[in-house]
Each structure stands twice: as C-alpha cells, then as structure tokens.
Amino acid sequence: MPDDAALDPDRARAVRDSFAAQSLMATLGASMTALSPGRAVIEAPILPGALQQHGYAHAGLTFALGDSAAGYAALTTMPAGSEVLTAEIKINLLAPGAGDRLIATGRVVKPGRRLVVVTAEVEAERAGARRLIAVLQGTMVPIAPD
C-alpha cells in the first residue's frame, strides 16, 4: 500500500497535522494509516460507544470515517496551505458494520481548483477478513490559505 513517500514530506505532514486536529476522529479512536496523492486510508475500532441498537457499527461512524478519508484524499491534491470542507456527500450503506474495525479508503475521482470530486469505500474487518459495507461519493471545496 503506497504511503507518504509519494507525497512531498511537508504536504504529508500538513495533511496528517490537519487530521490530528479533528477531535471527533480522536474520540472514535481513528488513525490515518496510509496517505498518497489522491488517496487516504482511515481506520477505527468499532468501540462499544459507537454501536447501534443491533450491535453493529453505527452508520454515523461509517459516514464520519468515509467523509474524512475522502476529504483528506482531496487535500493531498490541493495547494500547500489549503484546507478542505465537504460541500456534499452521499452514502450507500451496503451491509451492517459487523466486525472489529472499519477501514475507510478515500480517493479523488477528479481534482479541481474550485471543486474536487471524491469517493470512499468503507469496509468492516473481522478476524482479518474484510467486507465492503458502504460507498460514498461527494464534492470537496478547497479553502485557500489566509
């Protein structure tokens, strides 16, 4: 799996610092496990506090991880000093989030100066086996440095 080596080290550090500033990701126990141009992977354990009434990972956890992975994939394509905001994102839940952790892989479909089209896939992992549980597609907006 390609990682930061393909990104300019300052850019990789800026993206990882932005991720580290997200208190929700810290609350969920999420970590950014891979980062390359146009791609970001975020993983989180399925904690007892993130379950829905049937014992599966709550869709909110699935959405938060997919949105963040897609957003950080987009940020890797933006000019230095930029930040990113989600303009819109849609999710299709394909299967229950059953397992030990969720893995969200965000990718850039089409980079742009004003809009970046992104996608993300979220998988649930149990005992090393992964199952696709959600796909997201959306649009990210670059926020220019001050």
Side-chain angles (χ1 to χ4, degrees):
M1 194 176 310
D3 206 345
D4 293 13
L7 277 178
D8 171 74
D10 291 335
R11 190 72 189 130
R13 187 173 26 265
V15 172
R16 288 186 177 278
D17 287 349
S18 177
F19 176 79
Q22 286 198 12
S23 60
L24 179 62
M25 291 293 112
T27 298
L28 298 173
S31 58
M32 184 176 285
T33 58
L35 188 64
S36 58
R39 183 175 177 273
V41 179
I42 298 174
E43 302 182 18
I46 301 174
L47 300 172
L51 302 177
Q52 46 88 295
Q53 71 275 18
H54 301 291
Y56 300 120
H58 194 283
L61 173 62
T62 304
F63 186 87
L65 294 175
D67 175 53
S68 288
Y72 284 111
L75 188 58
T76 67
T77 69
M78 295 176 189
S82 295
E83 268 299 338
V84 63
L85 287 175
T86 303
E88 58 83 29
I89 197 159
K90 172 201 185 308
I91 188 169
N92 288 98
L93 299 165
L94 308 174
D100 306 311
R101 68 185 178 133
L102 298 183
I103 302 104
T105 303
R107 291 183 181 85
V108 171
V109 174
K110 183 178 184 312
R113 287 190 336 254
R114 293 193 175 110
L115 299 174
V116 180
V117 177
V118 294
T119 188
E121 292 185 348
V122 182
E123 298 172 297
E125 184 178 77
R126 176 182 287 170
R130 293 184 180 184
R131 180 179 187 192
L132 182 65
I133 64 162
V135 292
L136 296 86
Q137 182 170 322
T139 307
M140 301 293 163
V141 178
I143 305 299
D146 292 333

